[in-house]
Structure formats: C-alpha cells, structure tokens
Amino acid sequence: MSTHLPTADAQDPESSARTARLREALLAAAFTADGLLDLLGAPAYAALARSETVPALRRTRGDGPLETLVRLFLLQRPVELRRARAALPVDDCLADGWLLQDGDEVRAAVDVRPYGGPEGQDWWIVSDLGCAVGGAGGIQGAGGVDRSQLVLGVGGASTTLAGITVRKPVAKALDLGTGSGIQALHAAQHATGVTATDLNPRALRIAALTLALSGAQPADLREGSLFEPVDGEKFDLIVSNPPFVISPGARLTYRDGGMGGDDLCRTLVQQSAAYLNDGGYCQLLANWQHVEGEDWHDRLRSWVPSGCDAWIVQREVQDVTQYAELWLRDGGDHRAADDAYAARYGAWLDEFEARKTKAVGFGWITLRKSGSDTPSVTVEEWPHPVEQPLGERVVGHFDRQDFLRSTDDAALLAGHFRLAGEVVQEQVGLPGAEDPEHVVLRQNRGMRRATKVDTVGAGFAGVCDGSLPAGRILDAIAQLVGEDPVLLRDRTPEAIRMLVEQGFLEPVDQTG
C-alpha cells in the first residue's frame, strides 16, 4: 500500500495554479460544509462527523459532482474515471497526487474534509485516510502508513481550541504541534506570519496541503519537539493542541507525548513564557492528573510561569478506568484478542497506580504574559455548556483582572458599572410566595455563568447602567432597606469584585 502524499508547492506557480483549479472545482460542486448538509441531511451529516459512513453512502448514489466528491474524499471509495472528470480537474489532481489511478478508476490519496471558517470561509482540512476523528471504532488509518505517524483530521478538541483562541491581529503566531494545520489556518487570518511545528514530518506536509487548498498564506513549517524548532524567538500568540494523553508509553505520535504522566503539558506551560512577547497569549488544551493527597487547583497553579496571568478551566474529569477505556478504543485495542486487551488495559492502570493518579482532568489553559509582580491566576471547574467562540471573552477576562488588580475598594465604590447585556435575573421560590427564596443572575452568552445574589446584590446589579457611581447606588439601597450605609459600603466591595470578575458587571470608563 502507498504512503503517498499530494504536493502543493506555494513557490511553484504551476503547482499553485493547479491547486487553485482544484479549489475552484470543490467550490463549484458545493463541496463545502453547507453543501454537505444540504446533500446529506442532518442525520447523515451528523453520522459522518462521527465517522459513520453508511447513511452518507445511501445519500450519494447519484452521479452529481458533489456526490462524487463525497464518495472520493470523505467516504474514500474508488470512483469511475469518467465520473471523476465531471467533478474535478483530474489531470491536475493526478499530477499533484491528490488522486491515484487504478485502471479506469481513481481513488483519493488523502481525506479532504470541508470546514467552515469563523467568517463563513470555505476551507478544507487534509488528513490521512481513515483518520477522521470521532468514530466509534477508533482511528483506523489506511494506505500503509505507520500508525504511529498518522495525522488526524478535525475533532472536537481542534474546534474547541480554535473557538477559545484570541483573534486579535498579531505579527507572529506559533502553532505548536500543528497536525493537520487547522490552528495554523485560523491563525493565518489574523497573523502577519505563522510558524507551525510538529515532531511528525508527515504532519508538516499535510498542514501545508490544508493551507494551500484553503487559499491561506503558507506557514513557516519546522520539524521538532516542543519549542526546540523556535529556540530564541518570541511570538504574540502561541496555540497548541498537544499530544496530551496520559498513557503508558508513546505509541501514537498524534496523542501520546512521550513524557511521563502530564509532564508534557506541564513543560509546555512552564516554558511558554520565554517565547511570548509582552502582552502575548499562550492557549492550549491539556490533560492533568488528579493525584492522591494533592489539590488539583494547587497543582496547576504551580505550573504557571512567573510574569504570566493564567485562566485554567477544567471542563471534564474521568476516573482512571473511563480514561483508559476511552484511549484504548481510540487506539483500536478493543479489537485485539481478550488477553492482549486485558494486558494493555492493565498497563494503563499500572501507570496510574504508580503515579497515585485517581482521575484525569481535561480543559483549557490560557496564559497572558503580563510581567506583573502580582499575577492573576484563576483555576476553576466549569463543566457546563458554553457558547463558542470565546476568544473575545478570554480577552475580557484578563481585562477585568487588570481592572480589579489596580482598583482598591475606595476606587471601586467611586467607579461606574454597567450590567452586561446578556445577563437576566431569575427569581426562585415557592409558587405564590410573596418573596423569592433567592435571586439568580444568569448569562445567556459566553461562559453562561449563573450566580446567586442577595436582595442588595440583585438591586445593585439591576440599577447599574453606568450613570451613577457604585457608592451612591449602595447609599440609595441602604435607605430603601433600612441599613446603615457605612456598613453596607464596607461589606459590598467583595460582592462587586465577584460580579466584575465573572463578567456580570462591566466597568465603565468615565474619562472616555
């Protein structure tokens, strides 16, 4: 079987022209995220995202160009040459290796998957055959590629990281561990220059294909581990979906970091500050151990390098058996003989036992290089639904931390605040009761937080429209509820800080 990869040389005008013709053909056939949904319908489209192909096969029995492209690049079935010519510039695709010919049939050399950009762009993510993420049977691989070198397509982790990434215009961005190139593709939209690294040279070649086919600027592609390929350089943005799986050994490059426990993620976090410009962000996904006798919050706080603010969000926790089973399925070990599967499963549990690991957390880590002597480090658990994209919310979080860090209680009471636009108030109590048992403020956007507040807190938040300073609002509330205004001013700043920190209240700049 072939381990062939296509060619898309951005420096070669003829190759660039052929890639452009291929992209135009994909667009003409509506081989896009929206086009797929229209053709397949929601159930088959969702099944395809789970790598279940039978519904899509049933929906692509016709001879139309879009059906042909779905069969070729997504279902990876051979297609008659005449049928392919009606959908694609076949000679170009054969010349650059996107298609391989077997007699009067052609087949795809790689998986090419439509992907919708954040502003409605039509992009395509390239990966190895049989490596779409999400299938119930684990990563299969095809084409004779060493499984340890497989390059995966777009999965939930990829889209999560893309959604939380800060999208401010920057000069230099680094995609560390680029894989199929999806993070580099996003970064290319707002960074003057993008560097993408990977330990796997096959991933670098595939990332180049993703960028070229999607019409993005080429990235500076470099082979190597962690920050070795960019030693001595600094960036305004670092993003990484690293091989974070905590496993007994490094069998699969795309997921196993090759370091013990969660050392790879810890090392990446601790080293990142040296490669960030002032004000720059490092954002990554990570797994971390919950170790017997240690508080996981404190453990992660110890990872944060000096001079950096941090926001760490734990989205999910699995006990060690659930975690082992998830990644055994991913590696296809569940299809092995019973004794082989049991031995592999036992090796995972031995590893966790040796490290006193009782569970594994998954989440997001964002660092901002602030240079502050009093860094803000927030470590929290938030397993609830959120609304992506969250990049602007990430910026807002750190802006609020800056405000709170530089504002004492007297300045806080002199400040003006506005209730965030997406916040609603809910009153909870027994039916018919004269007064609610408690009041809840709830965000309908972004992190979708909810917090209980007392009568004073609810009244304060409801009046905040930016026109009056906080202290004057509290004085008015004190008069209404018959409370000493001095005592109310003394006890309320902590509650105001919490509402600001979590994004319920926004400071209003009176100087502007």
Side-chain angles (χ1 to χ4, degrees):
M1 298 290 286
S2 171
T3 59
H4 170 87
L5 285 176
T7 299
D9 187 353
Q11 307 302 318
D12 179 354
E14 293 186 5
S15 178
S16 294
R18 290 194 295 267
T19 304
R21 288 193 290 268
L22 171 56
R23 181 166 59 251
E24 290 163 4
L26 300 181
L27 288 170
F31 188 60
T32 63
D34 289 342
L36 284 183
L37 182 58
D38 290 342
L39 172 68
L40 301 179
Y45 184 85
L48 188 61
R50 301 189 300 270
S51 294
E52 299 292 350
T53 59
V54 173
L57 281 167
R58 296 170 66 87
R59 300 282 294 187
T60 55
R61 293 167 173 165
D63 270 348
L66 180 54
E67 293 161 308
T68 297
L69 295 176
V70 172
R71 283 193 162 248
L72 263 176
F73 290 119
L74 298 186
L75 306 180
Q76 288 146 27
R77 302 301 175 98
V79 168
E80 291 180 5
L81 186 59
R82 61 163 187 84
R83 185 174 171 183
R85 288 193 184 280
L88 290 166
V90 169
D91 292 337
D92 288 345
C93 292
L94 290 172
D96 282 339
W98 294 96
L99 297 179
L100 303 174
Q101 186 170 358
D102 295 320
D104 60 355
E105 291 184 330
V106 292
R107 55 186 173 85
V110 288
D111 183 299
V112 177
R113 199 150 296 242
Y115 177 78
E119 298 179 359
Q121 302 101 322
D122 290 314
W123 293 338
W124 295 270
I125 309 300
V126 181
S127 64
D128 273 315
L129 297 173
C131 287
V133 175
I139 299 302
Q140 303 287 326
V145 181
D146 182 343
R147 292 186 74 247
S148 70
Q149 301 301 306
L150 290 173
V151 179
L152 272 60
V154 178
S158 304
T159 54
T160 294
L161 179 59
I164 68 172
T165 299
V166 173
R167 297 298 174 194
K168 297 192 299 184
V170 295
K172 293 182 65 178
L174 170 64
D175 176 13
L176 191 152
T178 188
S180 63
I182 179 173
Q183 308 305 329
L185 178 57
H186 276 278
Q189 312 308 305
H190 63 101
T192 303
V194 177
T195 300
T197 69
D198 206 289
L199 185 63
N200 181 1
R202 188 177 185 84
L204 297 176
R205 291 188 60 190
I206 285 180
L209 296 173
T210 291
L211 293 167
L213 189 58
S214 299
Q217 63 174 327
D220 180 1
L221 302 171
R222 305 184 195 178
E223 182 181 346
S225 176
L226 294 176
F227 290 104
E228 291 174 0
V230 294
D231 188 38
E233 297 182 51
K234 290 184 182 293
F235 299 87
D236 306 299
L237 173 67
I238 299 171
V239 292
S240 183
N241 179 14
F244 52 64
V245 176
I246 300 170
S247 59
R251 295 172 57 214
L252 302 174
T253 303
Y254 69 83
R255 71 171 203 191
D256 302 322
M259 296 185 183
D262 52 20
D263 283 354
L264 182 133
C265 292
R266 176 184 57 78
T267 300
L268 201 162
V269 170
Q270 291 180 336
Q271 292 183 354
S272 62
Y275 298 89
L276 282 175
N277 286 318
D278 291 342
Y281 287 87
C282 174
Q283 299 187 265
L284 64 143
L285 305 181
N287 278 183
W288 44 78
Q289 299 168 132
H290 285 226
V291 179
E292 186 177 343
E294 296 184 25
D295 184 291
W296 71 269
H297 302 81
D298 293 339
R299 193 164 189 275
L300 290 178
R301 285 190 188 96
S302 73
W303 290 10
V304 178
S306 62
C308 285
D309 298 328
W311 184 18
I312 301 172
V313 182
Q314 180 167 275
R315 296 287 291 155
E316 183 180 357
V317 182
Q318 290 185 318
D319 67 50
V320 292
T321 59
Q322 292 174 309
Y323 189 81
E325 290 161 15
L326 169 67
W327 294 109
L328 286 166
R329 285 194 301 273
D330 172 82
D333 295 302
H334 61 302
R335 294 190 297 271
D338 290 348
D339 56 346
Y341 176 75
R344 191 64 57 78
Y345 198 151
W348 283 73
L349 297 185
D350 288 344
E351 175 78 5
F352 290 131
E353 184 175 343
R355 296 182 177 275
K356 298 183 179 180
T357 302
K358 58 184 180 179
V360 178
F362 168 81
W364 321 325
I365 298 177
T366 298
L367 305 177
R368 184 189 59 167
K369 191 168 184 179
S370 63
S372 173
D373 294 330
T374 57
S376 163
V377 178
T378 301
V379 182
E380 62 174 325
E381 185 165 18
W382 190 253
H384 311 294
V386 300
E387 183 189 50
Q388 291 273 35
L390 284 168
E392 291 186 5
R393 308 286 171 159
V394 172
V395 174
H397 169 88
F398 288 102
D399 286 347
R400 294 192 299 273
Q401 296 301 321
D402 287 343
F403 169 81
L404 293 171
R405 184 164 45 198
S406 62
T407 306
D408 61 19
D409 286 356
L412 195 73
L413 293 174
H416 295 242
F417 300 91
R418 180 188 298 115
L419 189 67
E422 71 273 9
V423 176
V424 297
Q425 176 180 302
E426 299 174 359
Q427 296 186 348
V428 181
L430 294 173
E434 184 174 345
D435 298 313
E437 293 180 13
H438 58 263
V439 176
V440 175
L441 299 180
R442 186 180 302 278
Q443 300 168 353
N444 285 328
R445 306 289 299 275
M447 292 294 288
R448 292 180 170 168
R449 298 186 188 276
T451 188
K452 289 183 184 179
V453 292
D454 60 15
T455 304
V456 171
F460 179 84
V463 174
C464 282
D465 61 4
S467 62
L468 293 174
R472 286 186 58 187
I473 294 174
L474 290 176
D475 291 344
I477 292 174
Q479 186 173 3
L480 285 173
V481 300
E483 188 168 341
D484 185 333
V486 175
L487 294 178
L488 189 59
R489 279 175 173 253
D490 285 345
R491 70 177 175 85
T492 304
E494 183 179 353
I496 296 175
R497 287 183 182 278
M498 183 276 292
L499 292 174
V500 171
E501 181 177 17
Q502 296 193 355
F504 291 95
L505 293 179
E506 300 170 347
V508 176
D509 183 2
Q510 294 296 300
T511 63

